[in-house]
Amino acid sequence: MHTLTLTAPPSLTPLLARGALLSPLKHPHPNATVPPTRLVLPDTRVDLARLAAYERVCGFATGADALPVTYPHILGFPVAMRIMASRRFPLPLLGLVHTSIEITQRRELAATAAYELTVYVEGLAPHRRGTEATVATEARVDGSLVWESRSTYLARHGQKRRDTATEAPAVPHEPGDTNPLSALPVLPEWRLAGDVGRRYAAASGDRNPIHLHPLTARLFGFPRAIAHGMWTVARCLAEYGPRDAVTVRAAFKAPVLLPGTVTYAAEGPAFELRGGERVHLTGEVRPLPVESG
């Protein structure tokens, strides 16, 4: 794998267009070759106004120097999209579904620090509905790894694609799936406004049309706009409140329609986002073991 250093963050709009144009030419298969490139974006600074907008829409407290645990994903997302929209990425961007994310944060991250971001495709794997890619993102400060994530993205085979996914909807519920409600105690209920997708898009840069307006969402088979998957994770973590050295795991189960009402449930390390009898998101937060020496 060779390393390519970028001089500026990629622009998302042309990447989305390129990915859409190339999608019909791709035929996903778990034995396909992944791009052998590791993209590096050095000296990445946080736009504090954009950070504040992100904190407000996700429910984090504003004004603190510490970044939300999900925010480095926002910083690295344009770099990841450059890979996923490229000709060498074997999965079509149209219909790509974000199915899970695992984040490891090794310490509290300062909003004023300079970060070196590294993104690469770790590999492909067969999935019962198609082929899944794992995309890794790493953040370093002064050469030390302080944050990393592994996101899985699913390209479904042999089915009509109904969603254009970048931060994407979660895997839709299908006949035969089991999605039992757990015994986690329900905490707050959240009424979500119809503009949550547009507000998150403005703060994150992910302007996927399925999140922005009912009319554009209907073009891809959804009755209304749906919330970004990463917004649902961030909203739950804002309620849960991790700040320091943690590992976060989350699995996207079903899309959240906007406007709508959801409930947050949590106990111990586990949390969920529910809507009626459907579980939209499951996750857990665990502290990192203290390193000796």
Side-chain angles (χ1 to χ4, degrees):
M1 182 175 289
H2 68 273
T3 299
L4 175 63
T5 300
L6 305 178
T7 58
S11 177
L12 278 172
T13 300
L15 289 176
L16 287 169
R18 175 181 172 83
L21 290 173
L22 290 174
S23 288
L25 306 177
K26 298 184 177 184
H27 305 285
H29 191 279
N31 294 326
T33 302
V34 299
T37 302
R38 187 185 298 261
L39 295 183
V40 176
L41 182 63
D43 197 29
T44 302
R45 300 280 179 169
V46 175
D47 181 325
L48 296 181
R50 186 176 172 187
L51 170 61
Y54 176 88
E55 291 169 332
R56 284 192 294 269
V57 72
C58 295
F60 293 101
T62 60
D65 183 52
L67 290 178
V69 67
T70 48
Y71 200 73
H73 176 87
I74 302 303
L75 297 176
F77 183 62
V79 184
M81 280 298 302
R82 172 159 170 171
I83 294 178
M84 291 192 288
S86 70
R87 188 177 298 274
R88 300 195 68 173
F89 186 69
L91 307 186
L93 192 64
L94 289 179
L96 203 61
V97 176
H98 197 179
T99 51
S100 72
I101 187 168
E102 179 176 333
I103 296 171
T104 299
Q105 179 171 286
R106 288 172 166 76
R107 69 188 197 206
E108 189 175 83
L109 303 182
T112 52
Y115 294 94
E116 179 185 87
L117 303 175
T118 302
V119 180
Y120 57 95
V121 180
E122 202 165 68
L124 302 181
H127 185 279
R128 64 191 178 94
R129 295 194 183 114
T131 299
E132 205 167 52
T134 299
V135 179
T137 302
E138 300 170 350
R140 289 175 170 80
V141 175
D142 297 328
S144 296
L145 182 65
V146 295
W147 186 99
E148 61 184 314
S149 72
R150 300 292 184 275
S151 281
T152 56
Y153 295 92
L154 172 66
R156 286 171 286 174
H157 301 177
Q159 298 181 23
K160 180 180 178 182
R161 295 189 182 98
R162 69 175 211 168
D163 49 297
T164 306
T166 51
E167 278 313 319
V171 176
H173 180 78
E174 296 180 2
D177 283 351
T178 57
N179 203 8
L181 293 177
S182 74
L184 293 180
V186 173
L187 300 174
E189 180 179 89
W190 300 326
R191 294 185 179 182
L192 310 181
D195 68 346
V196 166
R198 293 189 291 275
R199 291 171 57 209
Y200 184 84
S204 68
D206 181 3
R207 300 182 184 276
N208 189 324
I210 58 174
H211 305 303
L212 303 182
H213 195 275
L215 292 178
T216 53
R218 288 188 195 115
L219 295 175
F220 300 96
F222 294 97
R224 305 195 299 276
I226 65 172
H228 295 72
M230 284 303 297
W231 177 85
T232 64
V233 176
R235 184 65 189 90
C236 289
L237 293 177
E239 191 73 24
Y240 193 99
R243 283 284 183 179
D244 298 318
V246 293
T247 295
V248 176
R249 295 181 179 90
F252 306 110
K253 299 296 185 180
V256 176
L257 295 175
L258 300 172
T261 300
V262 294
T263 55
Y264 170 77
E267 186 173 49
F271 64 88
E272 287 181 344
L273 193 66
R274 307 174 186 167
E277 295 299 308
R278 173 168 287 189
V279 176
H280 297 290
L281 172 76
T282 62
E284 65 176 19
V285 180
R286 294 187 181 275
L288 284 185
V290 177
E291 295 183 2
S292 62

